Structure formats: structure tokens, C-alpha cells
Amino acid sequence: MKKAQVIVDRDYIVGGVDKRLYGSFIEHLGRAVYEGIYQPESPFADGEGFRRDTLALVRELRVPVVRYPGGNFVSGYRWEDGVGPKEARPARAELAWQVTETNQVGLNEFARWCKKAGCEPMMAVNLGTRGVEDAKNLLEYCNFPGGTKYSDLRKAHGYAEPHGIKLWCLGNEMDGPWQIGHKTAEEYARLAHETGRVMKWVDPTIELVACGSSGLTMPTFGSWEATVLDECYDTVDYVSMHQYYGKRDGDSANFLASALDLDRFIASVAAICDYVKGKHHGKKDIQLSLDEWNVWYHSNEADKQVEKWSKHPHQLEDVYTFEDALLVGSMLITMLRHADRVKIGCLAQLVNVIAPIMTSDTGAWRQTIFYPFLHCSLYGHGTVLNTIVRSPVYEARDHGDAPYLDCVAVHDEEKGEVTVFAVNKDLAEDMLLTMELRQFPGYHVKEHIVLHDDDLLAVNTEKAPDRIRPGYLDTATVADGVLTAKLPGKSWNVIRLERVEER
Ligand code: AHR
């Protein structure tokens, strides 16, 4: 059995966890909106046409914020198509995904759905085919109380109260040549700055996210962020990052080390933000919004067969394996280890489209990746402790030395809890983890949740929705201020420690 040592200190902290780290994303894409969250003809639909089974699972995940309506979709979107009487809404040829958009769901329905799901919307404006004027009108429609053309239009549509949407994305992936209205960094920087300035005049309480790179491997990565933030430093609050991973061959060990790449990506973008801050003699930190992240590759081939201009076809329906859940766990650990800079995270996406939740005519079920996300969303709150990990390493083809153990500890002072999230990437051996609980006297193991299976490729499906689900181990103990826990080979672990008052 391999051994790893973890050291934390109560006063040696990374930073507070922003609850928006556990956000998600719904795009008008595939069956995310239609059949995912909205399906009036389904027996699962409520009076407004929203699927109750999906809502229950979204509530279970406690998702605080959901990005909408895209994604690539937003870069050709006319928000006016999706408001007002449904029978008058136009169907459109949707160019980003080459399908027909019926517009039966728009921003008002989405805002209603968010209320039911217990989350806040994070809205994106179209900076592909549109610009300042339409972003201004949309914001006025959403957030202005009344007495103006667009706020009164919202009222006329049956929404007397403003939606009060706080978080806005200035476009989507504008660095990507696939994007409708793709721009150079300079073109985008000017447009984002001017749009953002006007939006903050309409509502100074909003927060703005500028588009960063669509991935670390983009040829313009680095210079894109520097150019955009140089122009937008005074206007924006966050820069976005998007990152997906796939297993292109049979190399599981290499795939499971992909979070090392995310770690580098985050550190680099944070450094660029600080460079721009320094250049501007600024006081404000630009923070990071990792507003698309996940595993995405299983559906790539099937998506080539999608019938053009069909309505909400099966698209990007990755069926996630157990090993995908391990990588999602490692990605969450990486985000937490950078909690001082990564303030917003959106697991892309939420339902049916590269998603933790799937639906069919018979109901909704949890994919494997649902669980690490759930555990972090439930227990990953408070302050991230600087978690020193001494672990044996292996050579991962694309990533160099990869520790067998990924780990982070989070301290919730109010609740008197410390939660340790850990992935043992060793495909064969168990690992003995010891963690010195310096300055955490009186802490005991409350529970040790584990997600483990011998088959890395096991999946949850409509017919076998619980093939992969968490269990519990009872071998973790605290003795003489040291936590000892056995982590099975290839496993996701959540070790919950709580303070027990001495009598
Ligand atoms: O999430 C799927 C797509 O991935 C989004 O539309 C786009 O922003 C990204 O390329």
C-alpha cells in the first residue's frame, strides 16, 4: 500500500470559498432546455411545463448560479425572440449547433425556473452578431424597475418585478474561430469595454465577466487575456476560463492527471490578471470565472450524425464513466486549491448536454459525475486550507510527474467541520493517507464517503441508474492529532471531520 502525507494548519489559508464555485450552465443546445428542464407534455411537468424530476435533482445539487443561454448559442441569439406570447415567437435557424430553435423558452421562463431550482441566473449577452445597444436593452428589460420602454415591455409580458440579474457575461468564447462573429482580441476588447461601460450605467450593481480563452491550448492564449484586460480593466470584474478534457486513447493514468493542466491554466490566468493590475496601478483584483468545465469527448462521433435543423436533438450526450467522476473530483480539488482566485465555476452543463443529470420519458437520473460535484457543493464551504501533499508520483504522458494523491482540506469554522476531499489516482493500490491536524484539537471523523469501483468504465444509465453511487468506509480515525484513512485504489473520498466538545 502506498503512503501519502498531508499537512494543514488552521492559520495557513488559501482563501474563502465563494459559493458560486458550484454553479452550472444551461445552453439552448440539444435537450438541455427542451426535454431537460422544460417539457410541458411530460407526465413529470409542473403547471408551467418544467420537469419536476429535473428540478428535484438540481435542488439536490444546491447549484447557486446557472449560466444562460449559451455558450456558442448566445453569439447568434436575439433575446426578443424568446419573450412575449409563446405563439408569436419565431422559430430560427440556429447556426451555432445547426438546429431549429423554437424559442418556447426564453429569459422570463428561465428566471422562473431558477426561482424554482433555488439558483440565480448568470446571463450572457450576444457580442457575436450584436453589441452595445442590444445588451443595454436586454439589461433594461431584466433589471429596470419600470417606466422605460423595455422594463414596461417586461411588465406587459407578465413580469411586474425586475429579475435583478447580477452576473453578466460579455459574450462567449470570442477567441474561437468557430464562434459566430469571432473577433480578434483587439476587436473584442473594444466591444466588451464599451458594452460593459454602458451596462454598468444602466445598472451599477451588476458584475461583468469578460471572455478569456476557450482553453489553455488556444494559440492566442495569454496575449488574448492581456489585451482584453488591458482595455477592460476598469470595466470588468472577472475573466472567463473554459476547459474540457477527454480521453483520446486508452491511457487512463494520463487522463486522470489532466487536472495538472487545469492547475497551470488557473495559475497563468491569475498571473496575467495581476500583470494588468500592476500595469494600471490598480487596486482591484480581476478574479476568475471558470464558467465552463467538465469532461467532454464521449459524444463527439455521435454528434457528427445529428440531423441538421432538427429540433432539440440528442447532442453532446456524454454518458459518463466512473473514471470521468474521478477526474471531475480532481478538477474540483484544483478549483478549491485556487479558491482565492477562482470565484465562479460553472460545470458545463447541467442537464442532458455533457451533464450530471439525464432525462428520458421514464424519469431523470444521476450520472457518475453528479457525486463529486454534489459532495463539494454540500461540504466544500468555508476556508480552504493550504494543503501540503507529500505523495508518490507517476509519469503521466502529457503532464509529467503526477501525484497519486490529489487532496484539499476545507475548514468550516462556523460548523466546526474540516472536510478532506481526496482522489487516489493509483489504478491498483490502496493508499494510506495521514494528515496532521495541527491546531484542530477535538476533531473526530464524522464519516468517510467513498466513490469506488473496480471497473473504470462503469456508467449509470436509464436502466441501471445506480450502478455507480457513493458508499461509506469506517476505517478512518483520528489519534494523537493525526488522521489516518485508507483510500481504495481509484477512488473519490470525502472525509468529514467534526469538532466534538470535550466534557
Ligand atoms: O458547452 C458546450 C460548448 O462548449 C459551449 O457552447 C461553448 O461555449 C464551448 O465551446
Side-chain angles (χ1 to χ4, degrees):
M1 180 157 47
K2 291 199 177 60
K3 289 183 180 162
Q5 193 191 3
V6 175
I7 301 164
V8 292
D9 187 299
R10 191 184 198 112
D11 296 317
Y12 188 29
I13 62 169
V14 175
V17 180
D18 190 316
K19 68 172 185 174
R20 298 172 302 173
L21 200 60
Y22 308 118
S24 190
F25 175 32
I26 296 260
E27 177 168 2
H28 280 256
L29 160 56
R31 300 189 307 125
V33 172
Y34 309 108
E35 296 186 20
I37 66 170
Y38 177 81
Q39 194 174 13
E41 69 281 9
S42 162
F44 299 104
D46 67 11
E48 292 177 272
F50 298 126
R51 281 189 70 141
R52 282 177 284 107
D53 50 354
T54 305
L55 274 169
L57 291 180
V58 175
R59 279 193 219 109
E60 184 180 329
L61 283 178
R62 308 241 183 114
V63 180
V65 65
V66 178
R67 186 165 169 256
Y68 174 86
N72 296 339
F73 170 82
V74 79
S75 297
Y77 185 48
R78 297 171 54 83
W79 64 268
E80 304 89 328
D81 290 346
V83 295
K86 288 192 176 175
E87 58 285 4
R89 298 185 191 177
R92 295 266 185 198
E94 200 288 283
L95 296 180
W97 301 101
Q98 308 269 298
V99 295
T100 300
E101 169 58 51
T102 62
N103 284 305
Q104 291 306 291
V105 170
L107 72 90
N108 290 320
E109 289 82 19
F110 184 68
R112 281 289 304 149
W113 181 83
C114 283
K115 281 219 163 66
K116 293 189 167 188
C119 58
E120 298 277 328
M122 174 184 187
M123 191 71 84
V125 302
N126 173 356
L127 292 189
T129 58
R130 307 186 105 184
V132 182
E133 170 76 7
D134 297 304
K136 175 183 81 62
N137 297 344
L138 170 58
L139 180 57
E140 185 188 309
Y141 183 96
C142 290
N143 284 13
F144 232 67
T148 63
K149 170 169 170 161
Y150 288 101
S151 55
D152 286 345
L153 185 62
R154 182 198 68 238
K155 289 184 169 188
H157 290 157
Y159 295 84
E161 295 305 316
H163 296 311
I165 299 172
K166 288 288 168 239
L167 207 46
W168 291 79
C169 303
L170 293 165
N172 176 71
E173 294 192 348
M174 299 309 303
D175 63 324
W178 58 85
Q179 202 67 212
I180 303 169
H182 165 232
K183 294 182 173 45
T184 65
E186 289 76 14
E187 288 166 348
Y188 171 70
R190 288 290 307 131
L191 182 59
H193 174 61
E194 293 304 333
T195 306
R197 238 160 41 100
V198 168
M199 289 176 76
K200 284 196 170 170
W201 287 339
V202 175
D203 182 350
T205 70
I206 61 171
E207 291 191 300
L208 292 174
V209 184
C211 288
S213 294
S214 310
L216 183 55
T217 54
M218 292 300 288
T220 50
F221 170 67
S223 62
W224 175 277
E225 280 79 359
T227 304
V228 169
L229 294 178
D230 200 14
E231 185 72 26
C232 298
Y233 178 75
D234 293 327
T235 328
V236 305
D237 306 283
Y238 306 90
V239 63
S240 74
M241 300 172 58
H242 291 179
Q243 191 64 54
Y244 297 97
Y245 294 110
K247 191 171 95 172
R248 306 287 162 201
D249 52 28
D251 192 342
S252 292
N254 186 55
F255 173 66
L256 290 177
S258 304
L260 286 170
D261 177 90
L262 178 63
D263 183 71
R264 270 192 299 275
F265 191 13
I266 294 171
S268 305
V269 177
I272 298 167
C273 291
D274 292 347
Y275 154 75
V276 175
K277 176 185 176 190
K279 194 172 168 215
H280 282 252
H281 304 274
K283 291 207 166 55
K284 142 180 125 176
D285 285 323
I286 302 284
Q287 302 290 34
L288 311 187
S289 173
L290 181 55
D291 47 41
E292 287 188 33
W293 69 272
N294 203 347
V295 171
W296 173 14
Y297 75 102
H298 297 282
S299 57
N300 291 167
E301 283 308 309
D303 286 339
K304 292 180 187 154
Q305 313 303 324
V306 170
E307 191 191 333
K308 274 197 173 190
W309 315 122
S310 53
K311 291 179 187 161
H312 46 87
H314 291 251
Q315 269 175 311
L316 279 65
E317 297 206 2
D318 275 39
V319 177
Y320 287 115
T321 61
F322 166 59
E323 75 180 338
D324 297 331
L326 295 180
L327 178 55
V328 162
S330 289
M331 291 178 81
L332 284 159
I333 288 172
T334 305
M335 290 159 68
L336 281 166
R337 291 178 69 92
H338 288 279
D340 54 333
R341 298 312 295 262
V342 185
K343 297 295 171 187
I344 301 164
C346 299
L347 176 66
Q349 299 192 8
L350 187 54
V351 187
N352 287 334
V353 170
I354 43 174
I357 299 168
M358 297 298 288
T359 68
S360 72
D361 289 346
T362 63
W365 66 97
R366 302 166 186 83
Q367 293 232 57
T368 60
I369 62 168
F370 185 96
Y371 294 108
F373 187 83
L374 171 72
H375 297 147
C376 288
S377 172
L378 289 180
Y379 308 123
H381 295 281
T383 307
V384 177
L385 302 173
N386 214 316
T387 310
I388 315 272
V389 178
R390 292 196 187 127
S391 161
V393 298
Y394 65 94
E395 174 72 20
R397 193 192 56 222
D398 299 329
H399 310 287
D401 278 353
Y404 280 105
L405 178 68
D406 288 337
C407 184
V408 71
V410 182
H411 178 206
D412 190 329
E413 181 123 42
E414 228 167 84
K415 289 192 176 152
E417 288 184 4
V418 171
T419 304
V420 180
F421 299 104
V423 174
N424 177 9
K425 303 202 290 267
D426 196 317
L427 300 180
E429 277 184 48
D430 296 349
M431 172 173 284
L432 187 69
L433 173 145
T434 53
M435 176 164 140
E436 290 189 33
L437 291 168
R438 291 182 189 175
Q439 300 166 3
F440 288 103
Y443 276 70
H444 294 270
V445 176
K446 184 172 186 180
E447 61 182 4
H448 177 178
I449 307 169
V450 66
L451 197 65
H452 164 70
D453 201 276
D454 285 334
D455 182 2
L456 280 172
L457 302 182
V459 295
N460 290 344
T461 59
E462 181 178 7
K463 293 221 162 60
D466 292 324
R467 169 68 183 79
I468 296 291
R469 66 170 171 197
Y472 296 90
L473 287 178
D474 59 7
T475 48
T477 54
V478 176
D480 300 328
V482 179
L483 164 70
T484 308
K486 198 172 87 176
L487 316 181
K490 38 181 181 322
S491 63
W492 160 254
N493 300 267
V494 184
I495 304 166
R496 301 182 60 212
L497 305 165
E498 68 177 348
R499 190 178 52 218
V500 179
E501 300 297 343
E502 302 287 335
R503 286 187 177 256

